[in-house]
């Protein structure tokens, strides 16, 4: 059986939420965001090595939170870095030697569909990478420095989500470089090696919780999923 891991990145301070508690620890429908995210990957495959990247100073808080919520899904904690790139690299450096595939996922995307996670591992095993994306619904325009804008064909663009899943040997090589400004996600780090990424279909509910408005929408999604059972 292929040895798999998932690195859930939540190394930031969540300052855009505006409250005293970082967004990743806030409850959605009675359960903190990170616990919901970890649960998805665990239920896809309980043998997956789950790695949660947090600020070092939050470790004790998280452990207390797990006790309070009686959260028993096995996972490992890794200290985050000063940027997402560094946090992911710390997670990659903590992988067990036998790990062959790794999914890298935003910890504050708790509504990723299990089907997307499963497909990401399957496709990455064959092609080297699997990047979850969704099509655009709105019209888009490209802005220029002179203030003018131009229509663009939206069918040629995709919104990028996570998980972004890779063969471990390749993604570790990709991250063994100096961090560059154009590294906006793991796919761009992978592409920097000259490798083409493979796209897979994500799911629209897989939002990244960043603002208070996102929390309101997350409560709606969680309630809908509960009613659909």
């Amino acid at each position: 059986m292929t040895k798999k891991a998932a690195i859930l990145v939540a190394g930031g301070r969540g300052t855009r939420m505006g409250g005293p508690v970082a967004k990743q620890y806030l409850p959605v429908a009675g359960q903190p965001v990170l616990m919901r995210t970890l649960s998805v990957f665990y239920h896809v495959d309980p043998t997956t090595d789950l790695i949660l990247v947090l600020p070092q100073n939050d470790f004790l808080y998280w452990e207390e939170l797990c006790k309070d919520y009686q959260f028993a899904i096995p996972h490992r904690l890794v200290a985050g870095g000063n940027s997402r790139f560094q946090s992911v690299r710390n997670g990659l450096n903590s992988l067990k030697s036998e790990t062959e595939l790794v999914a890298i996922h935003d910890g504050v995307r708790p509504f990723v569909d299990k089907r997307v996670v499963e497909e990401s591992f399957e496709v990455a095993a064959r092609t080297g990478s699997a990047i979850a994306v969704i099509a655009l619904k709105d019209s888009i325009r490209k802005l220029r420095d002179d203030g003018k804008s131009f229509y663009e064909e939206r069918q040629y663009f995709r919104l990028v989500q996570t998980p972004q899943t890779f063969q471990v040997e390749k993604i570790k090589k990709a991250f063994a470089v100096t961090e560059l400004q154009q590294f906006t996600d793991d796919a761009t780090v992978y592409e920097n090696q000259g490798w083409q990424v493979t796209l897979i279909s994500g799911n629209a509910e897989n939002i990244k919780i960043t603002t208070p408005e996102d929390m309101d929408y997350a409560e709606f999604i969680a309630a809908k999923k509960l009613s659909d059972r």
Side-chain angles (χ1 to χ4, degrees):
M1 182 180 293
T2 302
K3 296 290 185 180
K4 297 179 290 187
I7 298 172
L8 275 58
V9 187
R13 300 303 312 171
T15 54
R16 277 178 287 183
M17 193 61 71
V21 178
K23 60 198 174 187
Q24 56 260 41
Y25 309 121
L26 294 174
V28 170
Q31 187 178 42
V33 170
L34 288 180
M35 294 182 190
R36 286 186 167 273
T37 312
L38 282 163
S39 296
V40 175
F41 284 84
Y42 177 77
H43 289 302
V44 168
D45 184 351
T47 69
T48 302
D49 181 23
L50 297 179
I51 299 163
L52 182 57
V53 182
L54 297 179
Q56 179 86 57
N57 291 340
D58 289 1
F59 279 19
L60 285 177
Y61 177 75
W62 172 252
E63 289 166 4
E64 288 298 321
L65 211 57
C66 287
K67 290 178 185 176
D68 291 344
Y69 283 86
Q70 298 181 336
F71 185 73
I73 287 177
H75 61 282
R76 299 190 284 125
L77 295 183
V78 169
N82 293 325
S83 66
R84 189 184 188 283
F85 176 91
Q86 293 173 22
S87 291
V88 172
R89 185 158 60 188
N90 288 354
L92 290 171
N93 288 339
S94 77
L95 291 176
K96 298 174 181 177
S97 59
E98 65 268 23
T99 308
E100 299 172 65
L101 298 172
V102 60
I104 304 170
H105 187 69
D106 296 325
V108 290
R109 290 186 187 268
F111 300 115
V112 59
D113 194 281
K114 292 179 183 178
R115 169 197 57 80
V116 177
V117 176
E118 290 169 345
E119 185 179 3
S120 75
F121 281 115
E122 292 167 3
V123 172
R126 295 197 311 267
T127 70
S129 66
I131 312 301
V133 300
I134 58 173
L136 282 73
K137 295 180 180 178
D138 300 321
S139 295
I140 60 172
R141 300 187 68 82
K142 182 178 181 179
L143 300 179
R144 292 201 325 195
D145 292 338
D146 61 8
K148 293 181 180 178
S149 67
F150 296 90
Y151 165 78
E152 292 279 2
E153 293 278 358
R154 67 185 174 199
Q155 64 262 35
Y156 297 122
F157 294 86
R158 294 292 183 270
L159 295 175
V160 180
Q161 301 180 326
T162 63
Q164 300 185 6
T165 304
F166 306 91
Q167 293 175 4
V168 168
E169 185 178 359
K170 284 190 168 184
I171 196 62
K172 289 188 78 169
K173 179 181 178 181
F175 267 86
V177 299
T178 302
E179 183 176 0
L180 301 175
Q181 189 174 358
Q182 65 261 32
F183 290 164
T184 58
D185 64 356
D186 313 301
T188 52
V189 181
Y190 186 86
E191 283 180 320
N192 187 57
Q193 293 291 318
W195 301 322
Q196 178 68 45
V197 298
T198 304
L199 304 183
I200 64 170
S201 294
N203 62 294
E205 303 82 18
N206 187 20
I207 63 168
K208 186 176 182 180
I209 298 176
T210 305
T211 66
E213 292 75 22
D214 295 333
M215 286 296 291
D216 292 338
Y217 186 39
E219 290 284 354
F220 169 79
I221 296 173
K224 187 176 186 301
K225 284 181 174 292
L226 194 61
S227 65
D228 288 344
R229 287 180 183 174

